[in-house]
Amino acid sequence: GEDVKPFTPGKAKEIVMSLQQPAVFCNMVGDWPALHWNAKYLSTVLDGKTIQFRLGLKTVDLVPQFETSCSYVKATLEEFLAWSCGQPSCLSGPFSCYEYSKYWAYADYKYIARIFEDKPEIFQDIRWSDFGFPGRSGKESTLWIGSEGANTPCHLDSYGCNLVLQVQGRKRWHLFPPGDTSFLYPTRIPYEESSIFSKVNITNPDLKRFPEFRNTTAHVVTLSPGQVLLVPRHWWHYVESIDPITVSINSWIELDADHEARVQEAITRTLVCAIKSAENPSDGDLWLNPTEVEATSHEINLQYLNKAVSAYFEHQKASVSEQARPSSTGAEQRTSASCKRKKREVGCEPESCRLLTHKFGVSTFKAEKLQKVPFGPHLIQVLPQSQETSSMGAVAVESDGRDLLHENEGGHFGKLHCTRKQLVMSSDCETPAHQMDSDGSPNASQTALSTNDLLDCLVNPHVISLVAQLLLERTRV
């Protein structure tokens, strides 16, 4: 019948936990009440409650517009909708200083558990149980509401994989595999727990500064309402709203690899906070992302590191014990949800966030390699962008999930602009001629390396991975 979904919860979970490339699920959420969560409906439900919007300019620049370079206002969804329609009533409201033709607005990373804390029944409108995660609902999900051009800088998430439901409007996703990390020039400035940013504005790359970006392989897809995108672990992504109003919902799915990732994040936080806090605050370097409440103390960061290491070994011990048990064991404890940005949204303390174990009613899943990936009309792979396609072309999935259309509209889809001085000095910048010795090498007496240059090297993902392995080996001994 019409209510039968193309994948059982068990099969969907197997795909989510095993597939190492992005893909779009179709015809899996037709009966979800959350499909009615358009901005107008949410405005009625929130009934005048204000939420924070991030605003950025639509003009294109060579550098990403990080969140430290954006403006912020608190407004109701009713005010946001009036502004996006160009109504005169918004001339005196919170958006009055931001002309719609020049700015985009984004209410991003809004934890549903927080903004609907007085309406917990609404959590059940989101049914991740259909993907094999019983007990997971809107309570473990985040909400994103944006205007045309609203975007997230290119980054990768340290923890988990990602399931994204598109509710209203369309979003274009530019995804890059983990193997492209070095070509994307990773940085931890601005610093945000669990996010590694790219220095490259992928919609308008500065190939003189970032020549290796030419070696990346973009997977581009346009996500339409009713579709669910799987973003595998450590895939880079830049996301932009391409319709006047977009609404999407996502949930990060925990993976066994998160235990070591938390150790790496703890090391990174300790180094970044210690080194940046030693700088003169009057320098005005906006190194801490607005999503982070504050730079935590060295003592707290060490507590966080020790708990991350302890949790890693507890997981290792539990995994060994599990292998010794019969395969019919019931639900087990698992590490808590990634808590991405949860410190700001729900007041989760940094030293405990992501480290404690809880029961969410979902058993630990030991993913095995898929015997055969069931690609077809209900699971569409996001293919690498062809060389013939323009640099910002895209692969769009039709709303019925039956076909792939190659778009080649030309121009730049990203609308980014940096209104303040560039935050990150890059070691790959060209050195001015007057700072070069006669043999062409940099003049040591005149070359000025910044704290950010040092951090870009110290907390490079490859370096942090090695440090984490050495630290875990030391603890194991």
Side-chain angles (χ1 to χ4, degrees):
E2 295 181 357
D3 295 334
V4 176
K5 299 182 186 294
F7 303 108
T8 65
K11 187 62 177 180
K13 184 172 186 178
E14 182 185 1
I15 294 169
V16 169
M17 302 297 278
S18 303
L19 194 59
Q20 298 302 307
Q21 65 182 95
V24 176
F25 285 92
C26 301
N27 308 312
M28 284 290 290
V29 298
D31 58 346
W32 286 24
L35 280 186
H36 303 293
W37 283 26
N38 58 46
K40 188 173 182 180
Y41 168 78
L42 292 173
S43 175
T44 302
V45 175
L46 288 172
D47 192 24
K49 186 175 184 177
T50 61
I51 54 180
Q52 182 169 268
F53 287 84
R54 175 165 60 94
L55 292 107
L57 281 163
K58 291 182 176 181
T59 49
V60 178
D61 203 347
L62 287 174
V63 293
Q65 183 167 322
F66 292 117
E67 293 171 63
T68 46
S69 301
C70 292
S71 301
Y72 294 84
V73 300
K74 286 192 174 182
T76 65
L77 272 182
E78 186 177 8
E79 290 168 329
F80 165 73
L81 289 170
W83 172 76
S84 65
C85 293
Q87 293 183 13
S89 60
C90 66
L91 295 177
S92 60
F95 292 101
S96 59
C97 296
Y98 306 96
E99 189 177 332
Y100 178 75
S101 63
K102 297 180 180 179
Y103 287 88
W104 48 258
Y106 209 3
D108 55 354
Y109 284 101
K110 303 304 177 191
Y111 271 82
I112 291 171
R114 179 62 182 270
I115 60 175
F116 296 114
E117 57 188 347
D118 56 338
K119 298 179 176 67
E121 66 278 2
I122 205 171
F123 299 161
Q124 303 311 312
D125 286 4
I126 301 164
R127 303 170 179 174
W128 296 116
S129 56
D130 285 341
F131 288 85
F133 303 98
R136 183 181 292 262
S137 64
K139 190 175 182 181
E140 294 83 28
S141 306
T142 53
L143 180 66
W144 311 67
I145 305 170
S147 66
E148 184 178 1
N151 61 77
T152 303
C154 186
H155 69 285
L156 69 79
D157 302 318
S158 301
Y159 308 137
C161 60
N162 196 0
L163 285 174
V164 187
L165 165 66
Q166 194 62 28
V167 176
Q168 179 180 1
R170 296 167 300 155
K171 278 186 173 178
R172 183 163 290 131
W173 288 70
H174 298 253
L175 301 118
F176 301 87
D180 283 357
T181 293
S182 62
F183 307 145
L184 287 159
Y185 299 85
T187 183
R188 296 311 298 263
I189 303 296
Y191 173 73
E192 175 191 304
E193 165 69 26
S194 78
S195 290
I196 302 174
F197 293 102
S198 169
K199 297 179 193 175
V200 185
N201 178 354
I202 68 156
T203 65
N204 188 30
D206 185 345
L207 296 177
K208 187 174 181 179
R209 290 189 62 210
F210 309 117
E212 293 297 311
F213 180 73
R214 293 186 181 93
N215 298 323
T216 59
T217 303
H219 295 62
V220 185
V221 65
T222 299
L223 199 65
S224 298
Q227 297 175 337
V228 175
L229 173 66
L230 166 63
V231 182
R233 180 176 187 263
H234 285 184
W235 273 71
W236 292 82
H237 45 286
Y238 166 83
V239 191
E240 183 189 16
S241 299
I242 60 173
D243 282 330
I245 301 292
T246 63
V247 176
S248 50
I249 298 166
N250 88 293
S251 191
W252 285 280
I253 307 299
E254 304 78 17
L255 301 172
D256 285 343
D258 291 348
H259 294 279
E260 184 171 350
R262 290 186 184 94
V263 176
Q264 295 176 7
E265 281 297 304
I267 295 169
T268 301
R269 188 181 192 91
T270 301
L271 287 172
V272 173
C273 288
I275 293 177
K276 292 301 292 186
S277 297
E279 283 191 322
N280 188 340
S282 64
D283 291 345
D285 181 11
L286 303 176
W287 64 274
L288 194 66
N289 226 36
T291 56
E292 296 293 320
V293 177
E294 60 184 358
T296 43
S297 69
H298 188 67
E299 180 182 10
I300 287 177
N301 290 336
L302 278 182
Q303 291 177 12
Y304 175 38
L305 176 58
N306 277 280
K307 289 188 177 184
V309 171
S310 296
Y312 172 84
F313 284 112
E314 287 173 8
H315 172 71
Q316 294 290 95
K317 184 178 179 180
S319 296
V320 172
S321 300
E322 180 186 350
Q323 291 172 6
R325 296 192 206 122
S327 58
S328 59
T329 54
E332 302 170 5
Q333 287 189 336
R334 66 176 186 168
T335 305
S336 66
S338 65
C339 273
K340 189 171 173 62
R341 302 201 184 198
K342 225 170 193 178
K343 292 189 295 300
R344 177 185 65 167
E345 297 291 345
V346 293
C348 187
E349 292 299 323
E351 64 266 32
S352 61
C353 189
R354 295 167 301 279
L355 299 178
L356 304 179
T357 55
H358 302 279
K359 285 192 176 181
F360 282 81
V362 184
S363 62
T364 300
F365 183 85
K366 292 296 181 183
E368 297 180 359
K369 289 186 177 180
L370 288 166
Q371 295 299 316
K372 183 179 179 182
V373 181
F375 289 128
H378 307 298
L379 182 69
I380 303 176
Q381 58 183 323
V382 181
L383 297 170
Q385 204 166 339
S386 66
Q387 296 298 320
E388 292 75 21
T389 309
S390 74
S391 61
M392 283 294 106
V395 177
V397 182
E398 289 296 312
S399 58
D400 62 1
R402 295 178 184 275
D403 196 11
L404 291 176
L405 295 181
H406 292 270
E407 297 179 352
N408 188 359
E409 301 173 3
H412 300 294
F413 294 129
K415 299 174 181 177
L416 301 176
H417 183 74
C418 191
T419 56
R420 307 183 187 183
K421 74 171 187 176
Q422 185 178 349
L423 295 174
V424 182
M425 282 185 61
S426 175
S427 58
D428 45 67
C429 295
E430 286 192 351
T431 305
H434 69 273
Q435 294 186 9
M436 304 292 284
D437 284 337
S438 58
D439 63 356
S441 60
N443 186 330
S445 63
Q446 297 181 14
T447 301
L449 292 173
S450 70
T451 304
N452 292 351
D453 290 319
L454 176 62
L455 278 173
D456 274 343
C457 298
L458 285 178
V459 297
N460 182 283
H462 296 300
V463 176
I464 291 296
S465 178
L466 176 59
V467 173
Q469 292 173 31
L470 292 171
L471 193 63
L472 291 171
E473 186 61 33
R474 175 187 292 265
T475 308
R476 185 180 288 110
V477 173

